[in-house]
Amino acid sequence: MDCTGQPPARPWSNNSEGQLLGGTVSFMAAHTHAAPVFGTPAHWAACLPDTPRTARQSPERIIAMTDEAFHLRFLAQSAVPDAQMTTVGDVVHLADVVTGSAATLTPADGGWRVREGGPVKLWERIEHVLDAYDTAGRPGPEAFAVHVYNGGQHLRHPQLPDLPLPRPRP
């Protein structure tokens, strides 16, 4: 024990954990590298199935200019770390050039319709995180911790699934 009653720090430990800061404080991007060339949204949309499904969550939750949306964008980026988002008119486009996955969200009948293609269902992953976030009572950033260890780094909350954070690429 040290003078504060705490066990001494272990400099040889390869694990570390720390809380996120509240608000919109941001020290670094979720990406550890420059984003790959996105291409054109029309190219990605042409590769999607014709039949959309009703979206459970609105993209407005991550697009809005609010403190909560700022936090939700970070959670969404953690759920689909290689995806990029752009809006053309009313249509929101997500594209992941690493996996070849894409999604479009289009407003319809007071809600949103989503079309997804590729090996990763981008919007479905984001919906899963947003659903878990809502079920957990919409916790603020300070309720989350980053856990770093030999095998990687994760964003953690006791009531949400662990979200892997990107590792630096060589």
Side-chain angles (χ1 to χ4, degrees):
M1 298 284 175
D2 67 13
C3 64
T4 66
Q6 298 297 314
R10 294 194 173 119
W12 60 87
S13 174
N14 291 323
N15 296 316
S16 185
E17 188 164 311
Q19 224 176 347
L20 295 183
L21 299 174
T24 58
V25 176
S26 180
F27 296 101
M28 59 188 212
H31 287 288
T32 59
H33 59 282
V37 176
F38 179 89
T40 64
H43 164 80
W44 289 98
C47 299
L48 296 175
D50 291 333
T51 307
R53 69 169 175 84
T54 300
R56 293 190 319 273
Q57 297 283 348
S58 166
E60 293 165 335
R61 292 194 65 193
I62 62 173
I63 294 171
M65 298 307 292
T66 64
D67 287 0
E68 182 180 52
F70 181 87
H71 177 50
L72 291 178
R73 279 190 295 277
F74 182 70
L75 296 179
Q77 186 70 68
S78 297
V80 289
D82 294 311
Q84 298 175 62
M85 181 176 64
T86 190
T87 302
V88 178
D90 290 338
V91 180
V92 177
H93 297 264
L94 293 164
D96 180 343
V97 299
V98 174
T99 66
S101 302
T104 60
L105 290 112
T106 308
D109 303 321
W112 290 84
R113 305 287 287 167
V114 62
R115 296 185 308 140
E116 297 181 276
V120 177
K121 302 300 181 219
L122 300 173
W123 191 249
E124 188 174 302
R125 279 198 183 176
I126 291 171
E127 286 178 318
H128 178 70
V129 169
L130 295 177
D131 290 343
Y133 170 81
D134 290 340
T135 300
R138 301 172 93 166
E142 62 282 349
F144 289 79
V146 174
H147 181 80
V148 180
Y149 58 99
N150 279 344
Q153 48 193 6
H154 285 81
L155 184 62
R156 292 187 170 166
H157 183 277
Q159 295 175 291
L160 275 81
D162 285 357
L163 295 169
L165 296 173
R167 294 175 63 118
R169 293 189 179 164

